[in-house]
Amino acid sequence: MKRLWSPVFLLLGLSGLGLAYKVLHSEDPEEEVELEDPELEAPVSAVPLYAQLAAAIPLVTINLTNFTGLISDKSAPHNENITYHFGFLESDLAMLSDKVSGYYTVLHEMLGEAGPTLCPRDKQSHIKECLMMATCLLQEHVPEDIEVAQYTTYMEVITAFVEIGWPVLKKGLLFEQLYPALHYDDVAPAQYQCDELQHPETPFGHPPANLLQMDAKAQRTFAMSKALSQASKQTHEVLDAHAKESADVDVTVQKLHQVWHPICKDLKCDHGNFWDLHFASHRQTTALMKLNSARHVRAEAQV
């Protein structure tokens, strides 16, 4: 996993910094600006907060991923480059807070006075939701300021960490001490959740009216997104029932095939082959990206 995601994080970091640089130097190239000192750099405030946040997201994800790997694998061989040693909850939580400190600095500026309350630096219970909150804030700048492809990559990386990495991180903390508060994850107020933000699109699964009139292909793409969302929900229900009822594996597999057969019929994939379905779903996401609908891309990334 580490080998797979490290290049992705690096590219994300470079793209985020590139976005900030592009915004900073987007003025008319023919307009001359006189500086007293030729080596004087533009102040940080010259870069819009959304661009700063875009640059901070991959960096905080790297920090949290590294923290997760270290706290969950204490049996790893000694590495002289790693001077910190896990094992004490209080100091580990302080280290965790340090890993999100820079990210929170930018996020607090974007959120204004509510920032420190919504995302306090010393409470791990807010980290998960504050990662997702950032994607909601960036969503407002797609596609005018941030390309849909870049936003989609942010969503994929953050969603993967929230769904896979975060539970592992919490398990590592709980292994050190069964502290009840570690089980709790804060939920942001409704006005800071993406579903409550104002967007030109209609709710997930229903394409904008102008696309309905203009492009039949767009209609099919949005309809498939709705179908994928429903199939994902049904899949979770089947798997939950399997765990709860200790159902026969063959019966569960058959139910999953029934759920995904209609999807693969349209996407032209093998409903019995996970990887075939996986790659087909990415082709669907690519088609959705071309429609410049950040809200729909977000919903599909979380399927």
Side-chain angles (χ1 to χ4, degrees), residues 39-284:
E39 296 182 358
L40 183 64
E41 295 183 357
V44 175
S45 59
V47 180
L49 287 175
Y50 75 82
Q52 294 182 43
L53 186 62
I57 286 177
L59 299 179
V60 73
T61 309
I62 291 173
N63 286 346
L64 290 172
T65 300
N66 289 339
F67 183 95
T68 302
L70 291 171
I71 197 172
S72 61
D73 191 12
K74 300 184 181 68
S75 61
H78 175 71
N79 187 332
E80 60 182 11
N81 295 319
I82 300 176
T83 58
Y84 181 81
H85 300 286
F86 289 87
F88 299 95
L89 182 61
E90 184 176 352
S91 59
D92 290 349
L93 288 175
M95 172 67 75
L96 179 59
S97 296
D98 180 69
K99 295 302 179 185
V100 298
S101 179
Y103 167 74
Y104 273 8
T105 297
V106 180
L107 188 60
H108 287 176
E109 289 191 56
M110 285 204 74
L111 292 171
E113 294 181 356
T117 301
L118 292 169
C119 299
R121 295 178 185 273
D122 58 345
K123 291 187 178 180
Q124 57 80 29
S125 59
H126 293 253
I127 292 177
K128 175 183 174 181
E129 188 58 33
C130 289
L131 287 173
M132 299 307 299
M133 197 182 299
T135 65
C136 297
L137 294 171
L138 289 185
Q139 183 176 311
E140 294 186 300
H141 295 274
V142 180
E144 290 79 8
D145 303 310
I146 300 175
E147 295 179 359
V148 175
Q150 185 175 356
Y151 177 75
T152 303
T153 307
Y154 287 142
M155 279 302 310
E156 292 281 0
V157 170
I158 289 183
T159 301
F161 176 77
V162 166
E163 294 185 356
I164 301 173
W166 184 246
V168 176
L169 188 155
K170 290 182 65 175
K171 184 178 180 181
L173 293 173
L174 285 166
F175 182 79
E176 296 181 355
Q177 183 176 329
L178 294 176
Y179 186 52
L182 294 176
H183 291 281
Y184 175 73
D185 283 323
D186 186 72
V187 177
Q191 64 267 34
Y192 295 99
Q193 297 178 18
C194 287
D195 290 343
E196 296 297 320
L197 297 178
Q198 298 299 317
H199 296 284
E201 298 96 343
T202 51
F204 177 67
H206 302 278
N210 62 329
L211 286 177
L212 279 172
Q213 298 169 2
M214 295 173 56
D215 193 344
K217 185 176 181 180
Q219 293 184 50
R220 293 194 298 272
T221 301
F222 281 111
M224 178 53 67
S225 287
K226 183 177 181 179
L228 279 170
S229 178
Q230 293 173 340
S232 178
K233 181 179 179 181
Q234 292 174 352
T235 297
H236 284 289
E237 292 173 352
V238 170
L239 294 176
D240 289 343
H242 175 82
K244 184 177 181 180
E245 302 169 6
S246 299
D248 183 83
V249 173
D250 292 334
V251 174
T252 299
V253 170
Q254 184 61 34
K255 289 181 179 179
L256 292 174
H257 285 179
Q258 292 173 357
V259 170
W260 289 101
H261 181 268
I263 300 292
C264 275
K265 185 176 181 181
D266 286 340
L267 292 181
K268 295 180 173 54
C269 59
D270 180 2
H271 65 280
N273 186 319
F274 169 79
W275 290 111
D276 201 33
L277 177 59
H278 176 72
F279 291 126
S281 70
H282 277 278
R283 290 196 299 270
Q284 158 66 16

